[in-house]
Structures are given as C-alpha cells and as structure tokens.
Amino acid sequence: MSAAKLKLELSDGKQVEVEHGISPHDLAQRVNGELADRAIAAKLDGEIVDLDRPLERSGRIEFLFEDDEDQDSLYVLRHSTAHVLATAVRSIWPDAGIGFGPPIADGFYYDFDVDSPFTPEDLEKIEERMKEVVAADEPFERREVERQEARELFSDDPYKLERLEEIPEGETISIYRDGAFVDLCRGPHLPSTGAVKHFKILHSAGAYWRGDERRAMLQRIYGTAFFEKKDLEEHLRRLEEARKRDHRIIGKQLDLFSIQDDVGPGLIQWHPKGAMIQFLLRRFLEDELLKRGYDFVYSPHIAREALFRRSGHLQAYSEVMFPAMESEGEKDNYRLKPMNCPFHMSIYASGQRSYRDLPVRYAEIASDYRNEKSGTLHGMLRVRGLTMDDAHIFCRPDQVEDEIYGMLDLVANIYGTFGLEYRLDFATRPAKRIGSDQVWDEAEDALRAAIERRGLTYAVDPGGGAFYGPKIDVKFVDAIGREWQGATIQLDFVLPERFDLNFVGSDNQKHRPVMIHRAIYGSFERFIGVLIEHFAGAFPLWLAPVQVRLIPVTDDFIDAAREVAVALREAGVRVELDDRSETVSYRIRDGELQKIPYLGVIGQREADAGTVAVRKRGAEKKQVVLPLAEFIEQVTAENRTRALG
RNA sequence: GCUGACGUAGCUCAAUUGGCAGAGCAGCUGAUUUGUAAUCAGCAGGUUGCGGGUUCGAGUCCCGCCGUCAGCUCCA
C-alpha cells in the first residue's frame, strides 16, 4: 500500500491533503464534527461509497445527508433496508435462499427462495422482526474478500454463487455483514441498521430468477423506506390516491367501459359514455389529419395468411397473432390482423405512383387483435383488441425530415391539449440490421434534425431501433408513475422492399420510397385509460361525455329546464335533464360524483328571469347565476378552445 | 404463459368450527315537491364464476376449468 498523500476536493471547493486510506467518516470528523454526525454516506467523483470505506485515490468528495434533494441518499437507505429485510427473513427462515435485493424507483425489493410463498401474516411477522433488527443497531461492515473465500461464504447460496462467478477477474469482491446476515454486495450502506428509520413492507409476489420464465421462481418482497415519517406517510397516501384514480375503478363508476367474461379477456366493451370520449378524440385527430394532408383509408379485419407472410408478420410476430381461421375450399387460411401496415402497403402498391404524388399519407383508425399473454393484460392499458390511430407515410428520402417534423408538431399539438407530460426516446441502429450504413446515417440524421428543429430534448437509446429502421417513441406517465408508450414514429426499410413499392422519379426511373409508421394516441384503449387516470375521471369540458346536467328544483320547472336543454343542445352542447323526484341536494351530489362539468339548477327565480344557476365543477365559487345566452356562450367557448378547465 | 391471492345481488362488502345466503348503495313502486354533496316507506333482486367430488348437509373442504388482481426490466 502506498503511503502517498491523497488530494481531496471538498464540496465547498476547499482542497485537503490526507493520508491514503482515510475513511470519509474520519475525514468529516476532521473537517467538523457536526458534518460527521449528519453524513450517512459519501460520494467520490460521483460514486457512492460507505462512510468507513478507506479512500484510495484523490478526487472530489461530497457527503450525503438524509435531507438531500436528490435520490442518492434514499438509494442508500433503501438498499440498507433491503438488507434489513433479508436479515429478518433469514432469522425466521434460516434456509431461505437469497437472490437480488436492490433499491428501485419507489423503494426496494429482495428475492427469496423459500419452500412456500409468504402469506400476509408472514409479511407482518417479517416487518416486526425488521423492527427488532433496526433496534439492535448492528453496524453494516464492509469487507473485501478473495474469490475463494466468497465461494466458501456463499456455498449454500446458488444464486449468489452464480452472481459471484460473473464478477470479472480483478474486480473487487465485497461483502456486507449486519448481525448474522452476510450478503455479497457492492454497497454502499448506511453506517448501521439503526439508521433505517421509517419503512413498510408492501406486498410479495413470485418473480423469476433474473426475470427468466424458464428459471426458478423466487418470492419477491417489496417495501419502501424513507428518512422522515411524514415522507413515508405521504408516499402511502399517494399510493392510495393512485388506487382511487385507477381507470378500471373510475371506468366502472362513470360507466365508461367494461370487460366481460362472456366476451373475453382483454376485449374492451365501450359503453355510451366511453364511446363518446373515443368519438371526440377521434374527431379531434381526424380534423387535424385533414388539415395536414392525410388521406383516409379503410382496410379489412382479416386477410389471407399470404399477406402476413409477405410482410413478415407471420414469421416475426406470430406469437401474438391469433391462430389461423380455416376457410374450406379456399387456397389459404385467414388471420385477424395484428397491424395495419400490410394493408396500407398493398393499397400503395395497387397503382403507379409519381414522385409528384409523394408524400402519400394513409391514415386509418383500425381495430387490431393481438393474442397477448394472459398475465400481461391490464384493464384498458394492455388489451387484446385495440383501436389504433395508425398511419403510413410514403415519401422520398429528402422528405423524411419534414415529415418527422410534422409528426412531432402533431404530437405536441395533441398531447399539449391534454396537458400530458411526455418525453422522447430516440432509438438508433442495432447491431443486427438490414440496410446500408449510408441509409441508416441519412435516416438517423433526419430524425435527429427534426427533433432538434422542434427544440425538443430526447434520450438516445443506442442500438434500440428495430432491425428495419430507427424510431422515436413518445413515453408518457400515468397516475402511479408507470411509463407507457404513447406515440411512436418508426422508419421502415423492410416493408417497401418486401412489397416492392416504388415511385417514378423525375428521371423516369423507378425508386424505392421511404416508409414511416406512426401513431399519435397509440391506441384509443391505452390513451383513454391513461386519460382517465390523468384527469381522475374529471374530463375537461370538451371531452366530457355529458357537459351539462340540468336540475329543475321541482316538477313545476321541468318544462322550463327542458327549454334550456333544447337551447343548449342546439348550440351543440351535450346536455342531460335530471328530472328525478329527488331533492336538489341529492341530484347535485350525484352530478358531482359523475364529474359532470356544469350542473344547472332551474327554479322559480331562473324560470322568471331566463337564467340558470350554474355550478361549475371544481370552481371556487359554488354557484353563479347567468342569463341563458351567457351560459351557452361560456360553455361553447370552453368547448371550442378545448380548455383544460 | 408462470407463481400466489381472490371470485357472494348492478356496485361495495358481510355470512363462527361445514348448519335457513345478508346489509348499504343503486333499481322498481308509492309518498314527498324539495334551492346546491344522500327525504321516507315498501318491493324486488342470487344455480354464491363454471363443472365435478367429499358430506346427512358445501358460499365455506378437495380436484379441474374460466376470470380478476399483484409480480415476473430496473443486474451482489
């Protein structure tokens, strides 16, 4: 070991010279005692290290504290809490095998190999035992070991051994001990188990070792941890809130859709109110597409297998295609379509195309069917029958950038209307691909140029593109923080080849067009599912299935209310009359629970004055009395501008 | 698909050790005519997901199927 001094730069810019092997804790002690008391871990040139880890190189050192803004401190806490969990489980089930136990976005998990799955009672017992582990305040001891020693230490833990053998020669192998529990672990950890404060075990479920369904199923326990009690409570409250926003629950309460046993899993039945939302989204998009030079096409739900063989779907996509329908006496079987591209290719190929015709933009709102694995189905967000807002653009290579630009503009327009946050993933050429490097260069440059011309930021997913072309994925986030794929823009070098598409150029020669697949909503099912959660069912006026509900105070004013309803309806407003023989309070409550944007009460005063007593959803002022004409103007203006509320 | 939990009226949920399937809301009928988040009464509503089995007796126990939910990527 070298006795040379280390030069460390502190976060305030001060340089200190210290002896080789000093621990961050001792360093903090030297700087000031208060710092040493508060620090929970340190960072050397951005790498998180334990407080007692000997420092062996110069660099920039920072300390992590409980109240740091970023996630690094929480990461350490949750990683340590996962070890506390494993410590507790091992003390109850000494023979439990251990898998991985990392911190994750909102907490941590640990995988165990046990004879029978954990019951809810087991989880309670584990949580109690964890509290004892915390109370024991055992230090987390880090130790570097030789490979052979690690092999012996984990000789009973096949999963750890497997991981151990993957660590390259020459890399440090570290183990962490707290009390009786020893784990192969890169760390870092809190100083001791006592530093784990507020945690909760959430649930357990089976998880394949390394996510591979051919391998053993372990039992994964999920939990979360925070430094402050209030943060834990806030997190649990958010989970509860997310549960209430669940589109499956709201969809039932507001009678938007259902999934019926007798129809089949993953197949959405759109009830009138849900269908109205789909209709409105569809009309909004279709109007935009007409302005942007798209042509509408319609294609059948089924086609001969030969079509999908030519497109390559039968070879590459067959596991999600429903089985063939036999057709007696026909030369070929039929298949339900999982995508629309083959049909649009076929339409394009049906006639001669001139370079003057390009770009050709075929748009279709189409029903596709995919036999997704049963366990992956999830309400409207993952279904077997989906309604895509699909389009295929055929253009010259020099038109690609402008086309992409136009699509990103459409995405911004549509998503902005809903106030949805989204981000872009730009997936570039994979190792295994078709097409020359020159083609890929041009394509990627065009995509990048279009994104940058719009001033958007994006993440690059190197090698994430399909073998047939690069793509831009638009990801948006639902109420529980899950990220879903929304819009997708995808270049395709394969299908124009397979369908031998061409156009006649100004040189009177045949040329291959570039093809772009794109969807804006993605699917109406998923998009509306996310919108339900995004708005918690309280849709902006222009999307609300019922925009105004009128409540006559007594039966004497039903006629007056009916006249108001007619006037509203003639102005294009979706209006409903609640003339049930219930109290005003009852009907107001019902209207509020149904999240109707405007409730209008009509009694003697309003009938006499030609006004409506308007109650706007979510408004500060509970009630405003407006002349009918003014009310109509307010509602229609809000509708026209697609105001968010 | 796999592992586990679950499946009772339209909805949300009850129903001791196996012992007469219930409540609230919604619905229907009647009364009430109501002024901004639940008026009162009555009625009706079920092959307890489906099919087998054990038992004198099954919502409850056993087997099979269907479905729902959670998880199965986040690399010691």
Side-chain angles (χ1 to χ4, degrees), chain A residues 169-184:
Chain A
E169 267 327 309
E171 203 169 287
T172 307
I173 298 171
S174 59
I175 60 167
Y176 278 79
R177 174 190 299 279
D178 65 283
F181 179 68
V182 182
D183 200 357
L184 176 68

Side-chain angles (χ1 to χ4, degrees), chain A residues 277-484:
Chain A
I277 295 169
Q278 189 192 131
F279 168 80
L280 293 162
L281 287 179
R282 191 185 277 248
R283 192 167 65 179
F284 175 36
L285 180 70
E286 285 177 340
D287 286 348
E288 282 296 318
L289 295 183
L290 286 177
K291 287 184 215 160
R292 291 160 187 265
Y294 281 79
D295 294 314
F296 295 142
V297 297
Y298 295 108
S299 57
H301 285 66
I302 61 171
R304 288 186 162 136
E305 284 198 325
L307 182 73
F308 299 113
R309 207 171 288 124
R310 180 163 198 185
S311 68
H313 285 96
L314 216 52
Q315 299 87 314
Y317 209 67
S318 63
E319 77 279 7
V320 292
M321 288 180 73
F322 279 96
M325 289 171 268
E326 285 186 34
S327 186
E328 210 177 329
E330 293 274 339
K331 67 173 181 178
D332 203 1
N333 289 329
Y334 286 82
R335 289 281 192 145
L336 269 171
K337 63 174 170 180
M339 291 185 185
N340 312 301
C341 8
F343 299 83
H344 294 186
M345 299 294 127
S346 169
I347 293 173
Y348 180 93
S350 69
Q352 281 196 349
R353 310 292 165 191
S354 153
Y355 72 98
R356 299 170 192 275
D357 299 329
L358 302 186
V360 166
R361 305 184 186 95
Y362 291 154
E364 176 176 9
I365 291 175
S367 301
D368 295 334
Y369 297 89
R370 302 177 184 177
N371 196 3
E372 301 285 355
K373 287 194 286 185
S374 61
T376 64
L377 301 177
H378 183 88
M380 296 180 108
L381 298 181
R382 195 166 186 101
V383 295
R384 286 188 172 150
L386 57 145
T387 315
M388 275 187 77
D389 63 313
D390 206 1
H392 295 91
I393 286 79
F394 307 88
C395 64
R396 303 190 308 263
D398 63 289
Q399 294 173 319
V400 170
E401 184 187 326
D402 281 345
E403 285 304 305
I404 304 291
Y405 183 87
M407 291 171 193
L408 291 173
D409 183 65
L410 183 55
V411 168
N413 183 355
I414 302 266
Y415 283 40
T417 302
F418 302 101
L420 277 178
E421 298 286 332
Y422 64 94
R423 62 180 195 84
L424 302 186
D425 263 355
F426 176 27
T428 58
R429 70 191 76 185
K432 202 180 153 201
R433 60 180 183 269
I434 65 120
S436 68
D437 283 352
Q438 192 201 334
V439 168
W440 277 88
D441 284 342
E442 285 173 13
E444 289 175 4
D445 286 349
L447 290 183
R448 193 178 297 108
I451 296 173
E452 285 170 1
R453 182 140 66 95
R454 285 212 56 85
L456 294 168
T457 54
Y458 58 98
V460 178
D461 177 8
F467 71 93
Y468 49 81
K471 63 176 177 175
I472 300 171
D473 282 335
V474 178
K475 308 277 173 94
F476 57 104
V477 172
D478 76 9
I480 341 179
R482 284 173 305 199
E483 201 168 67
W484 293 97

Side-chain angles (χ1 to χ4, degrees), chain A residues 35 38-43 47-49 51 62-68 70-76 188 227:
Chain A
L35 186 69
R38 285 179 47 240
I40 55 163
K43 240 178 169 178
E47 183 198 346
I48 311 176
V49 295
L51 281 182
E62 297 167 77
F63 289 95
L64 299 183
F65 304 102
E66 290 190 2
D67 50 3
D68 283 347
D70 62 39
Q71 292 287 304
D72 290 337
S73 301
L74 275 176
Y75 183 96
V76 174
F227 288 108

